[in-house]
Amino acid sequence: MTLNDNDRSIAAFAMLAHATVHWFELAIPIFLVVWLETFEISIAAAGVVVAAGYALFGVGALPAGLLADRYGPKRLVLACLVGMSLSFATLALATSIYAIAASLVLWGITASVYHPAGLALISTGVEERGTVFAWHGIAGNVGIALGPFATATLLLALDWRIVAVMLAVPGALGTLYGLRARFDPTAAVADDDGSAADGSNDALSADEFVSNTRSLFTGSFLLVFAVVTVVGLYYRGVLTYLPELLNGLPAMEGIEPPAALEEFSLGDYVYVALLVAGMAGQYVAGKLTSRVPVARGLVVVFVGLAIIAVAFVPVSAMGIESILLYCTVLGFALFAIEPFYQEAVAVYTPPDARGLSYGYTYLGMFGLGSLSIALGGFLLDHATTAALFATLAAIALLGAVIALKLLVRPEPGSESASTESTTAADD
């Protein structure tokens, strides 16, 4: 279907902001190598500094969701873009690792705002949610791919402080675009009830926050939250260690990148190919969300991810062509699940609590999901690669079971439709 003007305006704004968030996020690990040399600190100390920013990126999602419901998602997204840009610009002024830490903490706090606010905006303002969720996810993958590539390339020729300022430019441009963008943030829910997440809600008291949270988690959202947490566990577990595992495969040995790009390994290029395949997965799945029940889509993708995890060890012993095909399929499936769980939140939660709902969603995705990083490191150190991927397969199957439970519950719209049909028949 063709997007209307309001949908297109929201999509452009959200896609630009989403790409920018991940542009910054994936630039940080590249800077880490430079900071180790510049400030002569240990890897452990630098890791703590970077982890502080990333931790806030996940933990801050919940309060950000509350703020989105209170002040409106557009304001929050604009504040996110300004804050992230300022945080990278201030890196250029850093004279110690403590100043670096302060900038990264600012980045983590402001970046955490985006996902609950941006997705709340799409879910309440866009008619063709599935399509926009798909394009939104693709934009995020563009940022994931371009962020580290642009950072590493610029560092080959420029001082890291100059690069930090240059990386802030897309955020500044996104802010300017957002200030000029005009759209209705509640167009998709204006007829559903008398309230929506347009910034007109009163600030939640502590009792109201507890009450709203209890209301969410006593309904189907509890299952949705569990599904998203499982997605986060699989996502972080596989993507954190996959580049290193790929570079250690026999099929990768003896193949060197072009001389001009010798800073990058072959595994890095395969990883980029995975992200490109992920864009296709997001687009296809986004289109399917308007055609199949979201819970059914989740079950299918989770089962596929379990099979893919089990296949890693045998495929890793094959040639480069098989490994490339494997990563293409993995990328497609891994990112195809994103539009489904984002749509599930929109389907199973009320519009006026959409920011809170997405806040909890990304607390599960980025916060609880990060636990698999520690688990994966333990398994690779004390067990085997096969143990890691067997665990990932079990995680995916757990997700399929949870999604099955969600599938047997009628979607709110279908439930009301069934009630109306029954009433009409009785009349």
Side-chain angles (χ1 to χ4, degrees):
M1 293 184 180
T2 303
L3 301 181
N4 60 40
D5 291 341
N6 195 68
D7 284 8
R8 280 197 297 271
S9 184
I10 291 176
F13 178 51
M15 288 169 65
L16 181 57
H18 193 206
T20 304
V21 168
H22 292 297
W23 163 276
F24 287 128
E25 178 194 7
L26 273 296
I28 293 173
I30 306 299
F31 278 124
L32 180 60
V33 179
V34 180
W35 294 333
L36 286 170
E37 297 180 359
T38 302
F39 299 105
E40 298 181 351
I41 56 174
S42 67
I43 296 177
V48 170
V49 168
V50 172
Y54 281 153
L56 289 169
F57 183 35
V59 174
L62 180 55
L66 291 171
L67 292 173
D69 285 336
R70 173 64 183 91
Y71 296 104
K74 182 180 179 180
R75 294 177 185 175
L76 268 292
V77 173
L78 287 172
C80 168
L81 289 169
V82 171
M84 291 191 302
S85 301
L86 285 176
S87 68
F88 262 63
T90 57
L91 283 173
L93 305 175
T95 57
S96 69
I97 193 61
Y98 301 106
I100 295 291
S103 292
L104 293 185
V105 165
L106 174 61
W107 175 83
I109 292 172
T110 53
S112 70
V113 170
Y114 177 71
H115 285 92
L119 293 173
L121 174 61
I122 294 173
S123 69
T124 59
V126 171
E127 297 288 346
E128 295 297 324
R129 282 197 309 248
T131 298
V132 175
F133 275 143
W135 284 109
H136 177 264
I138 290 171
N141 271 25
V142 171
I144 290 173
L146 290 183
F149 183 83
T151 305
T153 303
L154 290 171
L155 286 172
L156 293 176
L158 301 171
D159 180 78
W160 71 269
R161 298 177 190 275
I162 297 175
V163 174
V165 174
M166 293 177 68
L167 292 178
V169 172
L173 294 176
T175 302
L176 293 175
Y177 176 83
L179 289 171
R180 295 175 58 86
R182 295 291 180 268
F183 49 76
D184 180 357
T186 62
V189 296
D191 297 329
D192 292 347
D193 51 39
S195 63
D198 61 354
S200 60
N201 298 325
D202 294 330
L204 288 180
S205 67
D207 289 342
E208 289 171 327
F209 169 71
V210 173
S211 176
N212 285 9
T213 296
R214 184 184 297 115
S215 177
L216 281 176
F217 281 92
T218 53
S220 297
F221 180 72
L222 175 60
L223 295 175
V224 176
F225 177 79
V227 162
V228 176
T229 300
V230 171
V231 172
L233 290 169
Y234 191 104
Y235 176 91
R236 290 297 191 193
V238 71
L239 289 189
T240 298
Y241 298 105
L242 187 62
E244 181 180 353
L245 292 173
L246 288 173
N247 287 328
L249 296 180
M252 298 291 186
E253 296 178 359
I255 304 177
E256 299 294 337
L261 297 174
E262 59 187 7
E263 297 272 336
F264 303 94
S265 64
L266 183 60
D268 295 327
Y269 287 98
V270 176
Y271 186 74
V272 171
L274 182 152
L275 295 174
V276 173
M279 297 178 195
Q282 287 167 324
Y283 180 79
V284 172
K287 289 295 187 181
L288 288 176
T289 57
S290 61
R291 293 172 172 82
V292 300
V294 290
R296 183 175 300 165
L298 287 167
V299 171
V300 172
V301 179
F302 270 129
V303 171
L305 287 172
I307 295 171
I308 291 169
V310 171
F312 178 80
V313 172
V315 171
S316 65
M318 300 178 184
I320 185 65
E321 294 84 1
S322 298
I323 294 171
L324 282 171
L325 177 60
Y326 175 88
C327 288
T328 300
V329 175
L330 171 61
F332 185 95
L334 185 60
F335 289 96
I337 205 166
E338 187 174 297
F340 282 112
Y341 74 69
Q342 290 172 347
E343 177 70 6
V345 176
V347 168
Y348 291 100
T349 61
D352 57 352
R354 205 57 59 74
L356 178 62
S357 303
Y358 280 115
Y360 275 116
T361 296
Y362 281 90
L363 173 63
M365 177 71 181
F366 293 131
L368 299 179
S370 296
L371 294 174
S372 63
I373 298 176
L375 176 61
F378 176 83
L379 291 173
L380 290 175
D381 277 345
H382 300 283
T384 62
T385 300
L388 170 62
F389 280 88
T391 301
L392 291 173
I395 289 172
L397 290 176
L398 173 62
V401 171
I402 298 171
L404 275 173
K405 291 182 177 294
L406 191 63
L407 182 61
V408 300
R409 296 191 179 192
E411 295 182 0
S414 61
E415 188 174 25
S416 61
S418 298
T419 302
E420 292 172 4
S421 298
T422 302
T423 302
D426 291 341
D427 292 342

